[in-house]
Amino acid sequence: MPRDPRFDILFEPVQIGPVTAPNRFYQVPHCTGMGYRRPKSLATMRGVKAEGGWGTVCTEYCSIHPSSDDEPFPSASLWDDEDIASLAMTVDEVHAHGALAGVELWHGGAGSANFYSREAPLGPASQPAGVWDPVQTRAMDKSDIRDLKRWHLAAAKRAQRAGFDIVYVYAAHWYLIRQFLLPSNRRTDEYGGSLENRARLLRELIEETKEAVGDTCAVAVRFSASNGGPDNDQDTSEPREMIEMLGELPDLWDIVVHDYSYEMGTSRFVPEAGLEQTMSWVKTVTSKPVVSVGRFTSPDTMLRLVRQGVIDLVGAARPSIADPFIPQKISEGREDEIRECIGCNICYTGDQTGTPIRCTQNPTMGEEWRKGWHPEFIPPKGSDSTVLIVGGGPAGLEAAVALGKRGYDVMLAEARRELGGRVSLESQLPGLNQWARVTEWRLNQMAKLSNVEYYLESVVDEEQILEFSADHVVIATGATWRRDGIGRWHEDPIPGWDGSGVMTPDDVMAGMVPSGHVVVYDDDHYYIGGVIAEKFRKEGLDVTLVTPANEVSTWTTHTEEQYRIQQRLLSLGVDLQTGMSLASIGEGSVTVECVFTGRTHDVAASNVVMATSRKPQDDLYHALVDRINVTRIGDCLAPGTIATSVYSGHRYARELDADVPVPVPFRRE
Ligand code: ADP
Ligand code: SF4
């Protein structure tokens, strides 16, 4: 299909200082959990983005000097000349597809605790360093500031030698340069106090970086358009004054905000183009090109923001992770094939846990080098085998689509009246509606595959499966929530679990309505307990959330949601009982027990929702395993996230009739 001419504007080149971006699609710096530890994985992954049409592809934050490391979160680094070669691999991969390569030079200052280098962290003042880490910075004196500028220039020159086209001065988030910009910088020398003084370090770094590498490299500044506040009423006054002052100095402004949970907020809390109101003034105070993000997956939204002069370049991290080929798809009139980011932030959990990036929508993310997986191409089938898949959740659907694309004849049987499994159910819960995109994209792909058939309302049993006589049978029947309370805290059933008022998340999603006072017992610690508490409270019920953890939905610190979830539940008036386990369930009340002291008290409860752990639905698998060629995937194999199910289904499809290395099924760096 030809490109819709209204999108032509997105494919116009953009001059950025001495370099020209071939189009407006700009992959902003984003962390990957790979950094300096996995340079080949990184280079190949970034190269795939350039191949997919992103006209500019940047690295993650790149430490300029050992006086700032962010371990255990792996950043890139340009500490000395030895670091050049590994980043040059990324540059080469990106250049191979005609895109520009950008590097985000970084010094964390008080934002990092330096547990790897063991150097005393640096800051504008002696202040707490890291997050909750028990260390403080050393206040920088004038010679430290001179050193910092020297290191920054040395790293910029190394970046130039590596071949980068865009070099960043990173003045955003809670890192060193921004620590100088903030009103809390009360230094009494010319680098603190007045707004002009606080901006002095940034001004000097921009000027000196341009002087050093500006002949071939554009100098970009990453900058926060706000100093915090409610999402659509952020305090932008000082940032605005600063851009008014420095606006013409860099070649590009890369605009973000103070608060990560807003800037890269999950779809549960922040809509597409969520930063628009906060940053739309930037282009009125600078003539330089502006890039910003907003989980843009809709070409129309991209178009509107460019047309309205809010941005010049369409910035993306997550949309480019979920679909590295968005630009190419728009260019070829295939907008309907865009695999839209669902805004779950599983991709961010890689960095947060010091492990390589993964994506719910794109199972090939992070596997480009080590498994040779490509997001758009999959090898043709290795035989004429037929495949029967039982279960049309994310695992079964992904397997069906990927096998279908390989050319296998696939039949999929689904018990329910609709496909999507847990995704179609969970996406009905408050704030999770965009998760339905996991199903929608796969249904759309399946519709284009004449070799994939599916049957709804088809509960198949062992004998029916045998009747299909498929060469391969895949059991993707998912998992069900346990009713007995066994989970992370309880190894044995909770007394009273079999009472009539006990429900599971499956019951809630099937439409069962509780009455009176509801206790949600969350020993799962991801989103489901918090989201069910939110749902019932919004429906007007009295809700108590009990969890053995010290905060609600504690794993969501990795998705940058925990603070917002707890804030929302508290504002809604949900009673939060943290550090408490559920000791027993009685008639009309439950007994909860402090996990520290063992002290107990009773809480009124006419219903209890057990969000603790899940049981794989693997009976069919066990009934068939000794009789036919059968495999289980997804939650049926091991209950996990939607991302693990999609990956599991994709992996099955890739590995059918393929040679898979043993014992390690991937390449290592
Ligand atoms: P996963 O995340 O592994 O894909 P889900 O629980 O989301 O797991 O999906 C499993 C799907 O399997 C559900 O849609 C469920 O209705 C379906 N299913 C379970 N048992 C059967 C069966 N015996 N026959 C057909 N479909 C089944
Ligand atoms: Fe989007 Fe989730 Fe993929 Fe991240 S993991 S890119 S948020 S779909």
Side-chain angles (χ1 to χ4, degrees), residues 75-98:
S75 68
S77 65
L78 274 172
W79 287 357
D80 62 17
D81 289 357
E82 283 186 31
D83 281 331
I84 294 176
S86 70
L87 279 170
M89 287 193 294
T90 290
V91 173
D92 292 346
E93 292 283 345
V94 169
H95 282 174
H97 300 284

Side-chain angles (χ1 to χ4, degrees), residues 8 68 513 551 617:
D8 285 353
S68 187
V513 183
E551 57 188 9
Q617 293 218 78

Side-chain angles (χ1 to χ4, degrees), residues 266 295 317-323 339-348 357-362 365 438 643:
T266 57
R295 211 173 65 247
R318 289 171 296 174
S320 75
I321 293 166
D323 193 341
R339 195 171 39 232
E340 290 184 289
C341 167
I342 67 167
C344 62
N345 283 4
I346 282 290
C347 48
Y348 187 56
I357 187 166
R358 279 87 183 75
C359 170
T360 300
Q361 276 283 56
N362 175 9
M365 178 49 51
V438 171

Side-chain angles (χ1 to χ4, degrees), residues 527-543:
Y527 54 87
I528 199 84
V531 99
I532 287 175
E534 179 180 339
K535 171 185 162 67
F536 287 147
R537 185 67 198 127
K538 282 179 167 165
E539 288 169 7
L541 297 173
D542 289 328
V543 181

Side-chain angles (χ1 to χ4, degrees), residues 311-343:
I311 49 176
D312 299 289
L313 294 139
V314 179
R318 289 171 296 174
S320 75
I321 293 166
D323 193 341
F325 277 63
I326 289 180
Q328 195 182 94
K329 288 175 183 173
I330 300 174
S331 177
E332 293 174 355
R334 297 189 288 129
E335 297 90 75
D336 67 314
E337 292 193 34
I338 293 175
R339 195 171 39 232
E340 290 184 289
C341 167
I342 67 167

